[in-house]
């Protein structure tokens, strides 16, 4: 008997008329799931399924991946280029040539009037690696602006910075298979079940076969925290204090891996001297974790045969984000947990191709993990592209988060925004709105014509989505996987590669350089530029990638699958081959709750949505589970303020205010609230723009607000319904 029924109804699977299943890779998060999209006789994507023999997802998909094929037919796709003279006018449809001519003409005018760096380019983590490489060639080799960055500064910049500081290079050293080998997992600021459900499934799969302790560090009782053996409810922004205290216990009790430290690291004496100051009792007063718990976790981690750390935005989105990553690396270096099965510092990346932009876009340097600061690297790329090396700057320009203040100062006059939505995703969104209004020219290139930032565009360029073009993504574990073209883009929308190539032809220098027309030809350039390097793609080609369901770099010629882990030989990317143990003094420079603004505001993802809902907000089977912004609030705190469950509350920070629906829950402590970040004109009206000094990543997760009942509940409800149109 099943829930009062004596007979189970048969499961019926609708016949959608699939005539062909086409291989591709998911275009949402960084997990890198292999997907097959079912295409009907009309060439339309009508179904999706996980690929059973894929190493990453083994046939599984999350709710976003299951319905990803619906994006091909989703609302408000860009179908034709749009033009207008000023942002007060309505757009008018046009052809590609007039639109591209206008963009090229405005870039030339602005650069001739104000200098090369007066025009900036903002990229993404969502396009294909071949497109990133081509955009980098266009931006660095043709336009010549040094103000070029991507939205990965908002999510992964601290991880990149921390890896470079500790190991001498970017590149996550571990892999998902480490879950199957580890004896202790320490997770910082990561709600894995909602952020990366398939990676969480991989973890659960490992735990079912062999129990090991899971420690979750998070101020909120997340789904991940609920299944953990230890939940450390840390005071926001104090991860460095906890990490120093863990290291203190390990060194004080002689639990460190002395042979590994002596053979493979530098800076130990200075590091050990610093962490002496962070005894568990003193640290507990700052980070809020009991001293005995700090000692117990440190012993568990150090005594494990292999121990691994993972993290996401809870570490990265902080004024101490880069230091937090270095602190995690310090912990793994002193315990010998780098480059071994089950022992790693594994940053769980956000976007489907955030790794691809780090590797090949030239945002922070030059292709293949080359640096503008190194003359040899500038010479190599200049020669390969056919340029004079003097055309390249000798250091990187502004980060994305510094480009907007440069607009305020009048240093940046024009902006090309590609597959990102800063009007919703950047902190202090009212300030961003004013910045966009100041610009003389804005071009927005996106798959959706209704992306919020397009409100300030003079030209809109309709781009193809994932699955409407071909190329590769790189996932969290450095696995390069293939996106095959599933269907044609709608109307006159074009792949980003085509758009970049057409733009290059409109500049004299662009006509003098080689811009390959096909993704496969671009990939060949990348293979050649990576040959023999740390980031080696030379053993890959499209067919081999598809057959292997992705290949991990480094993958030299003759390699079957590439390397599962980095630094297995203990040799790091600094000239001396050693990793650095870096002392991390803690300075509390965050905004904190006070008498006027007594609550911490925390933000994060929900499983149904991705980033600013440009895509997931249009998929009914996804959006219906989370169609509107809401706030988690502790019932005790709400009672004192006269705020009821499912009523509306007004939140005010030093930047702005917003009104949200209230859900009362014990998942948050009485001095904190939580709001998903996906929604337009919501949480980022409140957040502040304090930046990490190393990574320039914003401290989205640490700011202070005050809360009161919304004065007009009916008006708030009406506004909530209206906001769903975004």
């Amino acid at each position: 008997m099943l829930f009062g029924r004596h007979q189970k109804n048969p499961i019926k699977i609708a016949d959608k008329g699939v005539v062909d299943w086409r291989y591709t890779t998911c275009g949402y998060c960084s997990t890198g799931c292999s997907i097959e999209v079912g295409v009907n006789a009309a060439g339309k994507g009508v179904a999706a399924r996980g690929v059973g023999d894929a190493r990453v997802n083994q046939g599984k998909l999350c709710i976003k991946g299951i319905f990803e094929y619906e994006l091909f037919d989703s609302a408000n796709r860009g179908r034709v280029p749009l033009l207008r003279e000023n942002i007060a006018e309505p757009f008018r449809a046009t052809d590609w040539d007039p639109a591209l001519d206008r963009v090229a003409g405005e870039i030339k005018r602005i650069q001739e009037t104000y200098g090369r760096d007066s025009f900036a380019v903002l990229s993404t983590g969502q396009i294909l690696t071949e497109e990133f490489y081509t955009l980098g060639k266009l931006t660095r080799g043709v336009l010549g602006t040094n103000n070029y960055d991507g939205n990965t500064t908002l999510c992964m910049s601290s991880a990149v910075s921390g890896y470079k500081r500790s190991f001498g290079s970017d590149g996550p050293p571990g892999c998902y298979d480490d879950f199957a080998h580890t004896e202790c997992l320490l997770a910082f600021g990561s709600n894995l079940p909602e952020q990366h459900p398939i990676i969480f499934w991989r973890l659960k799969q490992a735990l079912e076969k062999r129990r090991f302790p899971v420690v979750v560090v998070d101020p909120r009782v997340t789904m991940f925290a609920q299944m953990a053996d230890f939940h450390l409810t840390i005071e926001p922004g104090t991860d460095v204090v906890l990490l120093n205290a863990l290291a203190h216990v390990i060194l004080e009790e002689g639990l460190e891996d002395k042979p590994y430290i002596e053979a493979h690291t530098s800076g130990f004496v200075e590091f050990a001297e610093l962490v002496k100051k962070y005894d568990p009792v003193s640290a507990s007063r700052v980070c809020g974790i009991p001293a005995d718990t700090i000692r117990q976790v440190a012993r568990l981690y150090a005594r494990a045969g292999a121990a691994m750390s993972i993290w996401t935005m809870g570490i990265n989105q902080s004024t101490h984000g880069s230091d937090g990553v270095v602190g995690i690396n310090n912990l793994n270096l002193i315990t010998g947990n780098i480059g071994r099965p089950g022992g790693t510092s594994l940053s769980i990346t956000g976007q489907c191709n955030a790794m691809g932009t780090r590797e090949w876009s030239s945002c922070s340097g030059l292709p293949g993990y080359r640096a503008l600061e190194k003359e040899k690297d500038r010479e190599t790329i200049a020669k390969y592209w056919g340029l004079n090396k003097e055309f390249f700057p000798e250091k990187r320009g502004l980060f994305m988060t510094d480009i907007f203040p440069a607009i305020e100062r009048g240093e940046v006059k024009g902006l090309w925004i590609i597959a990102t939505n800063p009007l919703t995703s950047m902190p202090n969104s009212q300030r961003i709105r004013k910045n966009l209004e100041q610009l003389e020219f804005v071009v927005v290139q996106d798959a959706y014509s209704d992306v919020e930032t397009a409100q300030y565009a003079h030209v809109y360029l309709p781009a193809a989505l994932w699955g409407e073009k071909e190329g590769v993504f790189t996932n969290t574990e450095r696995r390069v996987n293939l996106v095959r073209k599933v269907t044609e883009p709608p109307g006159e929308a074009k792949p980003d590669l085509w758009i970049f190539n057409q733009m290059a032809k409109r500049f004299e220098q662009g006509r003098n350089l080689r811009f390959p027309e096909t993704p496969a030809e671009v990939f060949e350039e990348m293979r050649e530029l990576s040959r023999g390097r740390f980031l080696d793609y030379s053993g890959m080609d499209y067919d081999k990638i598809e057959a292997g369901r992705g290949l991990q770099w480094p993958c030299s010629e003759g390699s079957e699958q590439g390397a599962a882990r980095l630094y297995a030989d203990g040799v790091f990317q600094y000239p001396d081959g050693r990793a650095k143990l870096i002392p991390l003094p803690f300075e509390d420079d965050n905004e904190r709750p006070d008498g006027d603004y007594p609550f911490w505001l925390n933000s994060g993802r929900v499983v149904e949505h991705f980033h600013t809902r440009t895509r997931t907000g249009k998929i009914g089977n996804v959006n219906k589970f989370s169609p509107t912004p809401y706030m988690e609030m502790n019932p005790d705190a709400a009672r004192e303020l006269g705020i009821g469950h499912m009523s509306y509350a007004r939140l005010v920070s030093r930047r702005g205010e917003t009104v949200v629906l209230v859900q009362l829950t014990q998942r948050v402590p009485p001095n904190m609230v939580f709001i998903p970040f996906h929604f337009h004109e919501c949480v980022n009206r409140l957040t502040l723009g304090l930046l990490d000094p190393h990574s320039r990543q914003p401290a989205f997760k640490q700011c202070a607000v005050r809360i009161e009942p919304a004065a007009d509940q009916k008006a708030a409800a009406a506004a909530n319904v209206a906001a769903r149109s975004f």
Side-chain angles (χ1 to χ4, degrees):
M1 182 172 171
L2 299 168
F3 303 106
R5 291 186 284 113
H6 294 279
Q7 183 177 350
K8 183 178 179 181
N9 294 328
I11 296 173
K12 296 180 180 179
I13 300 176
D15 182 357
K16 297 187 177 182
V18 173
V19 297
D20 188 24
W21 291 96
R22 297 180 182 172
Y23 182 87
T24 186
T25 303
C26 182
Y28 280 117
C29 80
S30 71
T31 303
C33 295
S34 295
I35 295 180
E36 288 180 328
V37 176
V39 177
N40 65 14
K44 178 182 176 182
V46 293
R49 66 187 185 189
V51 177
D53 62 347
R55 293 171 182 269
V56 169
N57 56 311
Q58 301 167 25
K60 300 289 191 295
L61 293 176
C62 77
I63 188 172
K64 294 187 287 291
I66 290 169
F67 293 106
E68 193 168 12
Y69 70 92
E70 293 187 6
L71 291 174
F72 299 132
D73 223 12
S74 53
N76 298 319
R77 287 294 307 277
R79 295 176 179 273
V80 295
L82 303 174
L83 278 175
R84 59 184 171 185
E85 295 306 313
N86 64 72
I87 60 174
E89 296 177 357
F91 278 117
R92 65 182 187 276
T94 188
D95 296 326
W96 274 102
D97 281 338
L100 293 171
D101 289 345
R102 171 82 183 282
V103 175
E106 286 296 309
I107 294 173
K108 291 173 185 176
R109 178 188 66 80
I110 288 169
Q111 291 188 319
E112 288 168 2
T113 305
Y114 305 106
R116 285 198 322 202
D117 292 345
S118 63
F119 190 86
V121 178
L122 292 183
S123 182
T124 178
Q126 294 289 303
I127 61 178
L128 299 164
T129 307
E130 294 85 349
E131 294 170 336
F132 280 130
Y133 172 81
T134 303
L135 175 61
K137 185 187 286 191
L138 172 63
T139 304
R140 292 286 182 203
V142 177
L143 305 185
T145 179
N146 199 20
N147 290 330
Y148 165 45
D149 198 24
N151 66 10
T152 48
T153 292
L154 305 184
C155 55
M156 299 314 303
S157 187
S158 291
V160 173
S161 171
Y163 279 143
K164 288 180 177 179
R165 291 168 67 196
S166 294
F167 305 146
S169 175
D170 186 18
C175 60
Y176 304 152
D177 280 346
D178 284 322
F179 291 134
H181 300 282
T182 195
E183 296 179 16
C184 183
L185 175 68
L186 182 53
F188 289 87
S190 172
N191 186 12
L192 208 57
E194 294 205 67
Q195 295 164 341
H196 300 87
I198 302 304
I199 300 179
F200 180 68
W201 172 74
R202 291 286 300 270
L203 169 62
K204 291 288 286 183
Q205 188 181 47
L207 285 166
E208 287 172 5
K209 295 176 181 177
R210 178 183 49 84
R211 286 295 304 174
F212 52 86
V214 174
V215 182
V216 171
V217 182
D218 200 301
R220 177 171 165 252
V221 185
T222 62
M223 291 175 65
F224 200 7
Q226 290 175 46
M227 61 78 62
D229 298 286
F230 292 85
H231 176 207
L232 278 54
T233 52
I234 194 167
E235 182 80 358
T238 62
D239 305 276
V240 169
V241 175
L242 173 61
L243 286 158
N244 282 342
L246 293 171
H248 174 102
V249 174
I250 290 169
L251 298 185
E252 183 182 55
E253 299 187 6
L255 301 175
E256 73 273 25
D257 187 335
K258 292 177 183 176
Y260 188 91
I261 293 169
E262 292 171 3
H264 302 299
T265 72
S266 62
F268 176 75
V269 173
E270 296 82 359
F271 170 75
E273 191 64 30
L274 182 282
V275 299
K276 282 181 182 177
K277 303 174 184 177
Y278 289 82
D279 64 275
V281 174
S282 300
S284 69
R285 298 189 186 109
V286 179
C287 70
I289 309 300
D292 285 347
T293 302
I294 294 173
R295 293 189 185 94
Q296 190 172 1
V297 170
R299 292 163 185 158
L300 262 179
Y301 202 83
R303 288 171 178 164
M308 65 183 291
S309 306
I310 64 171
W311 71 94
T312 50
M313 298 308 108
I315 285 284
N316 292 344
Q317 291 179 339
S318 166
T319 53
H320 311 103
S322 179
D323 280 358
V325 174
V326 170
I328 292 170
N329 295 337
N330 286 341
L331 184 67
N332 287 307
L333 288 168
I334 64 172
T335 55
N337 280 303
I338 294 292
R340 57 188 298 195
T344 191
S345 290
L346 185 60
S347 159
I348 307 294
T349 310
Q351 301 179 70
C352 59
N353 208 20
M355 283 294 295
T357 190
R358 287 152 64 173
E359 296 163 7
W360 292 103
S361 72
S362 303
C363 278
S364 62
L366 291 167
Y369 284 164
R370 290 177 172 89
L372 286 162
E373 291 77 9
K374 295 181 180 179
E375 184 176 7
K376 182 181 178 182
D377 288 351
R378 297 197 305 276
E379 286 178 351
T380 299
I381 298 302
K383 182 178 180 181
Y384 191 84
W385 285 352
L387 290 168
N388 187 321
K389 70 173 184 178
E390 304 305 323
F391 190 75
F392 292 139
E394 294 183 3
K395 63 178 182 179
R396 75 167 292 172
L398 298 177
F399 288 75
M400 178 177 178
T401 45
D402 294 312
I403 286 172
F404 285 94
I407 296 171
E408 285 182 334
R409 298 191 299 269
E411 296 169 11
V412 171
K413 300 291 186 178
L415 194 58
W416 187 356
I417 301 171
I418 301 158
T420 188
N421 189 19
L423 189 57
T424 299
S425 62
M426 285 284 286
N428 197 352
S429 56
Q430 302 94 299
R431 184 180 180 186
I432 301 303
R433 189 179 292 275
K434 291 177 181 177
N435 296 158
L436 292 170
E437 289 173 348
Q438 282 182 249
L439 290 164
E440 293 185 11
F441 181 73
V442 177
V443 54
V444 168
Q445 180 173 321
D446 202 279
Y448 289 91
S449 59
D450 65 344
V451 63
E452 290 90 358
T453 305
Q455 297 171 32
Y456 294 93
H458 299 85
V459 176
Y460 165 77
L461 303 177
L465 267 178
W466 148 97
E468 295 168 350
K469 52 190 179 179
E470 188 165 274
V472 298
F473 291 150
T474 307
N475 78 346
T476 283
E477 59 173 359
R478 310 177 327 282
R479 186 177 299 278
V480 179
N481 210 344
L482 190 64
V483 175
R484 290 287 190 193
K485 186 175 181 179
V486 173
T487 189
E488 294 294 329
E492 295 299 314
K494 299 291 186 182
D496 297 274
L497 178 62
W498 183 91
I499 298 171
F500 301 147
N501 281 343
Q502 292 299 311
M503 188 62 66
K505 293 175 182 177
R506 284 162 166 80
F507 293 81
E508 182 179 355
Q509 185 142 308
R511 292 190 291 271
N512 293 331
L513 303 187
R514 180 174 180 269
F515 280 83
E517 295 290 335
T518 68
E521 290 174 311
V522 178
F523 191 80
E524 282 302 309
E525 289 199 5
M526 292 159 46
R527 286 183 66 206
E528 288 305 311
L529 285 171
S530 72
R531 190 179 300 277
R533 291 182 61 79
F534 181 59
L535 176 130
D536 194 337
Y537 276 38
S538 63
M540 303 182 192
D541 61 52
Y542 282 3
D543 291 338
K544 185 176 176 182
I545 291 169
E546 182 175 353
R549 306 317 195 203
L551 303 173
Q552 289 174 279
W553 66 255
C555 182
S556 58
E557 285 192 285
S559 174
E560 288 300 315
Q561 279 291 329
R565 297 170 185 86
L566 303 179
Y567 312 122
D569 57 359
V571 178
F572 294 86
Q573 290 297 295
Y574 278 109
D576 63 1
R578 293 173 174 266
K580 292 186 184 297
L581 287 166
I582 301 173
L584 301 169
F586 175 71
E587 296 181 13
D588 191 358
D589 55 359
N590 284 321
E591 180 178 71
R592 301 182 62 82
D594 57 23
D596 295 325
Y597 301 92
F599 290 89
W600 284 110
L601 172 62
N602 189 5
S603 65
R605 293 190 199 180
V606 294
V607 68
E608 299 86 4
H609 285 304
F610 189 76
H611 283 203
T612 63
R613 296 173 62 249
T614 307
R615 290 174 290 169
T616 53
K618 297 175 173 69
I619 305 302
N621 283 319
V622 174
N623 189 58
K624 68 183 180 183
F625 296 109
S626 189
T628 187
Y630 64 90
M631 174 179 72
E632 291 181 357
M633 188 176 191
N634 186 281
D636 298 329
R639 189 181 306 113
E640 292 182 9
L641 296 173
I643 295 172
H645 182 60
M646 300 303 287
S647 67
Y648 289 88
R650 176 174 176 256
L651 284 80
V652 182
S653 76
R654 291 178 174 87
R655 275 74 53 194
E657 62 181 75
T658 193
V659 174
V660 293
L661 185 68
V662 178
Q663 291 186 4
L664 299 185
T665 174
Q666 297 288 351
R667 294 179 72 179
V668 290
N671 68 338
M672 180 185 294
V673 294
F674 170 86
I675 302 177
F677 70 71
H678 309 285
F679 299 91
H680 183 57
E681 292 284 31
C682 188
V683 69
N684 281 330
R685 290 178 60 85
L686 306 169
T687 50
L688 77 166
L690 285 179
L691 304 178
D692 180 284
H694 299 280
S695 68
R696 311 306 289 163
Q697 186 162 346
F700 282 103
K701 295 185 179 295
Q702 294 107 43
C703 69
V705 296
R706 70 170 185 265
I707 305 171
E708 59 196 43
D712 188 334
Q713 292 286 314
K714 288 185 177 180
N720 182 284
V721 172
R724 298 184 191 190
S725 63
F726 285 99

